[in-house]
Amino acid sequence: MAESRFLLRNGYVIDTDPAPIARPGTDVLIEGDRIVEVGPRLSADGATVIDASDRIVLPGFVDTHRHLWQTAVRAGAADLDLGAYMGLVLGQYGPRFRPQDIHAATLVGALDALDTGITTLIDYSHALHTPEHADAAIDALHTSGLRTVFGYGFPFHGDQHPSDIRRIRSERLSDDHALVTMSLAPAGPSFSPIETVTADWHLADELGLPLTIHVSSGPVAARPITALREHGLLHGNTLYVHGNSLDDDELKLIAESGGTASVTPATEAQMRVGAPVAGRLRNAGVTVGLGVDAVSSLPGDMFAVMRAALLASQIADNPPLAVGDVLKMATLDGAAALGLADRIGSLSPGKQADVILLRLNDLNMLTTERDPIAAVVTAANPDNVDTVLVAGQVVKASGKLLHGDLTQAVRALRATAATVNDH
């Protein structure tokens, strides 16, 4: 069977490597799952041509932290601080999820991400009370077509399942180059005693898994990064989420270890977990990606997150982030934070063809071609996302998702929401 071949013709192409730059009148040629050439007036021989005139063409967004299962309780925690959120969403809603509920919420959450131009996402899945819950989440990710790192997490109230983590790794997610890969998402030193942390880190080492953890100053370890270093657990394969309350010397330890960070500025502001941290992390030399986090509180699109990051920096940093910095955090830096910069995050030939097209002829985007980078960060919204490709496969075209069972997925999510809330 011949590989698919697409030519995105005559777009305002934004590449992100080494820094965001916009080039009008530029084509992108895709063969199979790869970008093979970027430039003006490329040959369309044998290719399906997608007219990108009046379109911005750029790498798909990378969401470095989200809990997809919370799609079923969207907007359910908008006025809550962190403690109340943990009590309600994690403590009460989470244990009510059956495996079919995890599947329904994960699938619709993944499709929602694709619809808004997010082509890669790490799913910190921490409502997995049984092996059946884990299987349901992974089944949904495979069905969605979203590039995902499945973060096997531990419930807020519930047991850990190291034997099931081993099963998932060996039987379901053993290929680190597949569309759906795996990481371990334990509670970490901020929330667990060091004996538990040590066991979790050794399990990740045993299985060859990267780690992703929430991190803050306390409640268990006031200096969690120092605690990891003191116990020989400060590894370069760790993605640290939030970190707003960490001291600058803790951030430098992350940088020196080769670890990376995910900031979720919208939820961090809403839940009042400390001052903006993206600028401090970057100044310390840490690679930083952006994350949505919890749609139980805030929107699930990268446009909202980019604007939150820009505003937070304008308030807290001197100098503040530029729009190009923010866009890179949402694309190439996010890919690097997940250890995927060799395959996604830019339009470099040879990389996987995760590409999105935004309409420039929508009312909110008119005349923004003078600075397409600023347009993406400050003016665009999910309604402008016209076309989405993941690994060379078109998953959204002419503003419509192409998922065949979307109606059924929506119906299942509504049933789950009714079940979870009806207690």
Side-chain angles (χ1 to χ4, degrees):
M1 185 176 178
E3 287 188 335
S4 60
R5 182 177 166 93
F6 293 101
L7 182 69
L8 311 180
R9 173 72 83 192
N10 196 38
Y12 281 82
V13 169
I14 297 175
D15 202 1
T16 55
D17 191 7
I21 184 170
R23 297 185 176 94
T26 301
D27 305 339
V28 178
L29 181 62
I30 298 167
E31 292 182 358
D33 62 354
R34 302 280 170 175
I35 297 167
V36 296
E37 194 172 0
V38 179
R41 298 178 294 279
L42 300 182
S43 171
D45 184 33
T48 299
V49 176
I50 297 176
D51 184 8
S53 302
D54 291 322
R55 300 288 186 270
I56 292 174
V57 180
L58 73 157
F61 297 127
V62 180
D63 180 352
T64 57
H65 185 70
R66 189 187 302 217
H67 309 294
L68 284 176
W69 66 271
Q70 294 185 18
T71 307
V73 292
R74 188 184 290 271
D79 292 328
L80 304 184
D81 62 15
L82 179 60
Y85 157 82
M86 294 177 70
L88 177 64
V89 178
L90 304 186
Q92 295 184 40
Y93 288 150
R96 298 174 187 170
F97 275 70
R98 304 162 298 176
Q100 61 265 40
D101 300 321
I102 290 289
H103 185 279
T106 300
L107 176 57
V108 172
L111 295 175
D112 177 41
L114 286 171
D115 198 34
T116 66
I118 293 168
T119 54
T120 298
L121 178 150
I122 183 165
D123 178 20
Y124 194 117
S125 188
H126 59 346
L128 306 177
H129 291 272
T130 69
E132 290 75 22
H133 285 75
D135 281 322
I138 294 166
D139 289 344
L141 295 175
H142 282 301
T143 298
S144 72
L146 177 69
R147 187 184 301 278
T148 319
V149 179
F150 173 67
Y152 198 125
F154 308 142
F156 185 59
H157 295 296
D159 297 328
Q160 298 181 193
H161 303 283
S163 62
D164 191 55
I165 294 168
R166 292 186 176 94
R167 175 186 69 88
I168 293 295
R169 178 59 166 164
S170 64
E171 298 179 9
R172 301 214 56 184
L173 297 176
S174 61
D175 184 356
D176 292 333
H177 294 278
L179 199 64
V180 181
T181 57
M182 185 176 179
S183 67
L184 190 64
S190 296
F191 303 95
S192 298
I194 197 63
E195 295 79 13
T196 300
V197 173
T198 299
D200 294 338
W201 263 237
H202 288 172
L203 178 61
D205 287 344
E206 171 196 333
L207 300 177
L209 292 174
L211 289 150
T212 177
I213 60 169
H214 297 94
V215 67
S216 65
S217 178
V220 176
R223 294 175 59 80
I225 313 304
T226 299
L228 290 175
R229 184 187 62 176
E230 290 174 347
H231 289 83
L233 303 174
L234 188 56
H235 297 170
N237 67 343
T238 306
L239 173 68
Y240 299 91
V241 183
H242 307 313
N244 301 66
S245 56
L246 299 183
D247 294 335
D248 285 347
D249 59 345
E250 292 264 282
L251 304 187
K252 288 186 180 298
L253 288 178
I254 294 175
E256 292 168 1
S257 74
T260 60
S262 170
V263 298
T264 67
T267 55
E268 289 158 8
Q270 186 260 329
M271 294 184 183
R272 301 183 290 283
V273 297
V277 72
R280 290 200 298 127
L281 281 161
R282 285 165 58 90
N283 289 338
V286 180
T287 297
V288 181
L290 297 177
V292 165
D293 199 357
V295 296
S296 56
S297 304
L298 290 156
D301 65 273
M302 192 56 68
F303 302 102
V305 174
M306 288 191 292
R307 281 193 276 279
L310 187 65
L311 177 60
S313 179
Q314 289 168 342
I315 293 172
D317 297 327
N318 186 18
L321 295 171
V323 290
D325 299 326
V326 174
L327 182 59
K328 191 175 181 183
M329 290 166 66
T331 51
L332 185 58
D333 285 354
L338 299 184
L340 299 176
D342 62 331
R343 69 192 79 166
I344 61 165
S346 73
L347 301 180
S348 301
K351 285 198 176 183
Q352 294 263 307
D354 291 7
V355 185
I356 63 175
L357 279 67
L358 311 181
R359 288 186 298 273
L360 273 169
N361 52 6
D362 289 348
L363 292 177
N364 65 306
M365 297 289 280
L366 291 177
T367 78
T368 61
E369 61 266 25
R370 71 187 66 190
D371 190 341
I373 295 169
V376 173
V377 175
T378 66
N381 65 52
D383 290 339
N384 304 129
V385 179
D386 181 82
T387 303
V388 178
L389 295 90
V390 178
Q393 297 295 310
V394 179
V395 297
K396 182 176 184 179
S398 300
K400 300 293 184 183
L401 282 176
L402 303 182
H403 193 276
D405 298 319
L406 189 57
T407 299
Q408 180 180 344
V410 170
R411 186 181 301 117
L413 183 72
R414 291 190 183 280
T416 283
T419 298
V420 169
N421 287 286
D422 189 21
H423 282 73

